[in-house]
């Protein structure tokens, strides 16, 4: 090992940090984040300390104390000594027991004058504790260190055993938030399939069969995660491409785009998918009254600020929400009684499978499909609107002393002394929501064309997220702000509901950019409460939120602080001064303001200090312009205009 200097007494020495005075021959070569080692004896005990250089300073020794002396030294008329000092943060303390070393808490500082050595690359795992997580089979590669060795995360802090959730922050356009977040997601889905991965069998199976949901919030940039990135093809044979490929080899996986991707987009007014670029496996999503009632989605149709500002308005919305849920449970009871009754042979003739174990919404959908009546009429019997327009009419019916459902709603509102003007205000807000496109997301239950059912009916608008090893990209970029809020909240509620019903054990990863928009520091309304629920209870259900934003200081404090894994890309120094970045020790804050493309700072509770890692350019497209279209055996990169011309 190469000796770089000695422990110096010019600065304070503790069991946690110490300073190294560099040898003159090595001083010019010292770098930040170099990994070092000190071996020493303390009484009859032998210790070995590992650490990372966290700061480097150069100064005159005491011989030069004035500007005059410094100028004289430059002219050769005065003698002086330049010293280089490096601050080392201790990452691991080992104590010799018998013929081997065992890990112990920091106990004693290294004595002044002890020699300090540069750790060879093969000793990196021991120095940073990666050997322990690799030996325990819970290590996930997360990038490459400055010495070109692989850095690892502990999956216990990803899957909820010791913590969960990932937060990625950084400046837009230069911090590579989306690239690193999708890289980490890709590794969690694909690394368990590596021939020699450092994951236990149970954890590997869990990750292989996990579900991933990616929200696309800008253009159509994430709708092509299963397409090759054209930059990889353009860089083929170059030094950069070789570096990217070498990183993937070090991780033990083959570079390739995401697999098992399904894209879900909102419907246009005519019901067709709202998508500009051609691709396969596209579905149209939406929610019907059964979803809205069961999952309590009605508050998501309203402005969260108004709900918080106006208690009477919020109370009225809450009463209507509970009314819909109560009426829905009445319909569930009727559906269950009819479907399991021996007095309804016509139902048995149309159903060729067992109804045991079906959830309430599936039972009701089956009942509405085989009962021989128009679903809209059946829903009206219980005061359940089949569309957003029907809900508005139901509210107007209440004020006009209308039909049975409206009268039941009037009773519910009257019991809470809700005034007519408040109900009319709700109706006006729903009309605004209708004009902003939310009526496209509320799907009507239509009469079934099927006579005999061999399996439970699944509406075409149900989001297909619950697929083992599946990646579902949910496009919300074309929706209004209220529409985006509704979709994000509805998806999170659906996942929480599935986990609470114990319908799946595997992890669900959710990636969402612009987290500060959906879970803001102040307010947030019903959606903010859903995010707090996911952040605080999600880990117990193995729901993992991978949130990204430009400024972590603008995200709900209860959400951002629940992230056990924190990633910082290039960031403005004014933002870095906030308390959310207090974990960046020493000059790491300064470094975060000058990170290069492809670099991020990663932190987990088992790290002694955050680590700067490099990661490869993603082989999958993270924008519609960078997707690579393949035809036959050739590979071509086409613009959208060129693509259309192929089929003219």
């Amino acid at each position: 090992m190469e000796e770089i200097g000695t422990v110096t007494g010019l600065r304070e020495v503790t069991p946690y940090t110490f300073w190294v005075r560099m040898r003159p021959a090595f001083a010019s070569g010292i770098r930040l984040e170099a990994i070092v080692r000190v071996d020493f004896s303390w009484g009859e005990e032998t210790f070995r300390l590992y650490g990372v250089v966290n700061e480097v300073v150069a100064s005159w020794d005491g011989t030069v104390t004035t500007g005059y002396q410094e100028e004289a030294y430059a002219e050769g008329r005065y003698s002086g000594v330049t010293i280089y000092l490096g601050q080392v943060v201790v990452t691991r303390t080992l104590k010799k027991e018998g013929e081997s070393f065992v890990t112990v808490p920091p106990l004693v500082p290294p004595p002044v004058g002890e020699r300090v050595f540069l750790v060879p690359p093969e000793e990196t795992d021991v120095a940073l504790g990666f050997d322990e997580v690799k030996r325990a089979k819970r290590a996930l590669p997360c990038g490459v260190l400055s010495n070109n060795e692989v850095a690892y995360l502990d999956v216990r802090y990803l899957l909820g055993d010791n913590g969960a959730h990932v937060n990625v922050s950084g400046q837009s356009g230069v911090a590579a938030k989306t690239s690193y977040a999708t890289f980490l997601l890709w590794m969690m889905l694909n690394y368990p399939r590596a021939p020699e991965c450092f994951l236990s069998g149970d954890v590997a199976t869990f990750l292989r069969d996990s579900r991933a949901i990616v929200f696309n919030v800008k253009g159509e940039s994430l709708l092509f995660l299963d397409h090759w990135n054209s930059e990889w093809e353009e860089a083929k044979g170059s030094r950069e491409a070789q570096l990217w490929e070498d990183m993937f080899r070090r991780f033990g996986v083959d570079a390739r785009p995401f697999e098992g991707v399904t894209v879900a987009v909102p419907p246009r007014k005519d019901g067709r998918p709202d998508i500009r670029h051609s691709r396969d496996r596209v579905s149209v999503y939406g929610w019907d009254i059964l979803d809205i009632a069961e999952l309590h989605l009605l508050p998501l149709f309203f402005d969260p600020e108004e709900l918080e500002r106006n208690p009477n308005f919020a109370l009225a919305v809450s009463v209507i929400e509970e009314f819909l849920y109560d009426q829905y449970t009445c319909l569930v009871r009727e559906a269950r009684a009819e479907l399991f009754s021996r007095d309804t042979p016509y139902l048995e003739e149309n159903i060729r499978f067992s109804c045991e174990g079906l959830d309430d919404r599936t039972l009701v959908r089956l009942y509405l499909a085989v009962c021989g009546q128009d679903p809209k009429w059946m829903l009206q019997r219980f005061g359940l609107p089949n569309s957003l327009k029907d809900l508005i009419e139901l509210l107007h019916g209440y004020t006009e002393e209308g039909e049975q459902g409206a009268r039941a709603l009037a009773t519910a509102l009257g019991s809470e002394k809700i005034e007519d003007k408040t109900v009319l205000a709700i109706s006006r807000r729903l009309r605004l929501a209708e004009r902003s496109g939310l009526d496209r997301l509320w799907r009507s239950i239509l009469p079934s064309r099927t006579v005999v059912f061999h399996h439970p009916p699944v509406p075409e608008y149900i989001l297909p997220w619950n697929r083992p090893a599946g990646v579902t990209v949910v496009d919300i970029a074309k929706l209004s702000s209220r529409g985006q809020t509704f979709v994000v909240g509805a998806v999170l509620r659906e996942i929480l509901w599935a986990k609470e019903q114990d319908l799946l054990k595997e992890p669900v990863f959710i990636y969402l950019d612009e987290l500060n928009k959906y879970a803001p520091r102040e307010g947030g309304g019903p959606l903010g409460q859903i995010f707090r629920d996911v952040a605080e209870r999600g880990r117990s259900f193995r729901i993992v939120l991978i949130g990204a934003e430009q400024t972590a200081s603008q995200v709900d404090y209860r959400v951002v602080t629940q992230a056990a894994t924190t990633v910082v890309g290039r960031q403005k120094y004014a933002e870095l001064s906030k308390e959310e970045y207090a974990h960046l020790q020493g000059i790491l804050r300064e470094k975060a303001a000058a990170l290069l493309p492809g670099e991020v700072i990663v932190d987990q509770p088992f790290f002694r200090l955050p680590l700067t890692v490099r990661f490869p350019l993603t082989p999958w497209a993270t924008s519609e312009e960078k997707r690579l279209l393949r035809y036959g055996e050739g590979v071509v990169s086409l613009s959208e205009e060129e693509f259309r011309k192929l089929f003219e």
Side-chain angles (χ1 to χ4, degrees), residues 58-261:
S59 66
W60 290 111
D61 201 359
T63 55
V64 178
T65 59
T66 68
Y68 172 79
Q69 292 173 335
E70 187 172 55
E71 187 67 23
Y73 173 84
E75 297 173 356
R77 296 183 291 106
Y78 192 86
S79 62
V81 178
T82 305
I83 59 173
Y84 291 84
L85 302 178
Q87 184 192 48
V88 176
V89 175
V90 176
T91 57
R92 195 172 187 183
T93 303
L94 302 178
K95 179 182 176 182
K96 191 170 185 180
E97 293 187 357
E99 297 299 318
S100 60
F101 284 89
V102 297
T103 303
V104 295
L107 298 173
V108 294
V112 172
E114 286 289 346
R115 295 186 299 170
V116 181
F117 298 90
L118 188 66
V119 167
E122 61 270 17
E123 220 170 318
T124 299
D125 286 353
V126 177
L128 299 179
F130 297 151
D131 61 328
E132 290 188 347
V133 292
K134 290 168 73 173
R135 189 163 49 249
K137 292 291 186 178
R138 55 175 192 262
L140 179 79
C142 65
V144 174
L145 299 166
S146 59
N147 64 356
N148 291 323
E149 293 300 303
V150 177
Y152 294 89
L153 296 176
D154 188 337
V155 295
R156 292 181 305 172
Y157 296 99
L158 289 171
L159 298 182
D161 299 304
N162 286 31
H165 312 309
V166 181
N167 187 264
V168 187
S169 61
Q171 285 180 264
S172 179
V174 296
K177 299 190 302 296
T178 298
S179 295
Y180 189 75
T182 56
F183 164 74
L184 203 57
L185 177 60
W186 187 93
M187 288 298 298
M188 287 189 281
L189 296 174
N190 290 274
Y191 182 64
R193 297 179 173 85
E196 297 181 4
C197 72
F198 296 105
L199 295 172
S200 67
D202 291 343
V203 171
T205 301
F206 253 45
L207 287 173
R208 277 198 304 268
D209 295 337
S210 59
R211 283 73 164 158
I213 297 174
V214 176
F215 286 101
N216 177 65
V217 300
K218 300 172 186 174
E220 294 187 347
S221 53
L222 297 182
L223 270 55
F224 302 94
L225 293 176
D226 52 347
H227 287 57
W228 277 90
N229 188 339
S230 60
E231 289 188 41
W232 268 67
E233 185 67 21
E234 294 165 2
K236 185 174 290 185
S238 67
R239 182 175 177 274
E240 289 80 4
Q242 292 173 359
L243 290 174
W244 305 332
E245 293 170 356
D246 180 63
M247 285 189 195
F248 278 102
R249 279 194 296 270
R250 286 174 173 270
F251 302 149
V253 293
D254 296 325
R256 61 179 181 273
F258 280 85
E259 297 174 345
V261 174

Side-chain angles (χ1 to χ4, degrees), residues 190-368:
N190 290 274
Y191 182 64
R193 297 179 173 85
E196 297 181 4
C197 72
F198 296 105
L199 295 172
S200 67
D202 291 343
V203 171
T205 301
F206 253 45
L207 287 173
R208 277 198 304 268
D209 295 337
S210 59
R211 283 73 164 158
I213 297 174
V214 176
F215 286 101
N216 177 65
V217 300
K218 300 172 186 174
E220 294 187 347
S221 53
L222 297 182
L223 270 55
F224 302 94
L225 293 176
D226 52 347
H227 287 57
W228 277 90
N229 188 339
S230 60
E231 289 188 41
W232 268 67
E233 185 67 21
E234 294 165 2
K236 185 174 290 185
S238 67
R239 182 175 177 274
E240 289 80 4
Q242 292 173 359
L243 290 174
W244 305 332
E245 293 170 356
D246 180 63
M247 285 189 195
F248 278 102
R249 279 194 296 270
R250 286 174 173 270
F251 302 149
V253 293
D254 296 325
R256 61 179 181 273
F258 280 85
E259 297 174 345
V261 174
T262 292
V263 172
V265 301
R268 292 189 171 103
K269 287 189 176 181
D270 59 6
R272 293 183 300 116
D274 193 353
I275 185 171
R276 295 191 302 271
H277 298 82
S278 299
R279 65 151 295 133
D280 57 355
R281 295 192 298 278
V282 177
S283 63
V284 174
Y285 60 73
W287 290 264
D288 57 33
I289 180 57
L290 307 182
D291 302 312
I292 291 168
E294 169 103 60
L295 302 177
H296 297 278
L297 302 182
L298 184 65
L300 296 174
F301 282 95
F302 299 94
D303 180 1
E305 293 186 3
E306 184 169 24
L307 290 174
E308 293 185 347
R309 186 176 61 250
N310 191 333
N312 290 333
F313 188 89
L315 175 61
V317 171
S318 176
V319 171
I320 298 170
E321 175 193 8
E322 288 303 316
F323 169 79
L324 294 178
Y325 182 75
D326 291 342
Q327 298 304 106
Y328 163 72
T329 56
C330 292
L331 177 56
V332 170
R333 285 196 295 269
E334 178 175 297
R336 189 174 294 278
E338 289 292 319
L339 291 175
F340 289 94
S341 172
R342 296 181 180 179
D343 300 328
T344 52
Y346 70 94
L347 295 179
E348 295 182 3
E349 292 174 1
N350 290 333
I351 301 174
R352 303 294 173 83
F353 62 91
S354 174
C355 294
E356 296 292 340
L358 296 182
D359 64 85
D360 290 345
R361 275 177 288 166
T362 302
L363 273 174
V364 173
R365 290 191 178 104
L366 178 60
Y367 177 55
L368 295 177

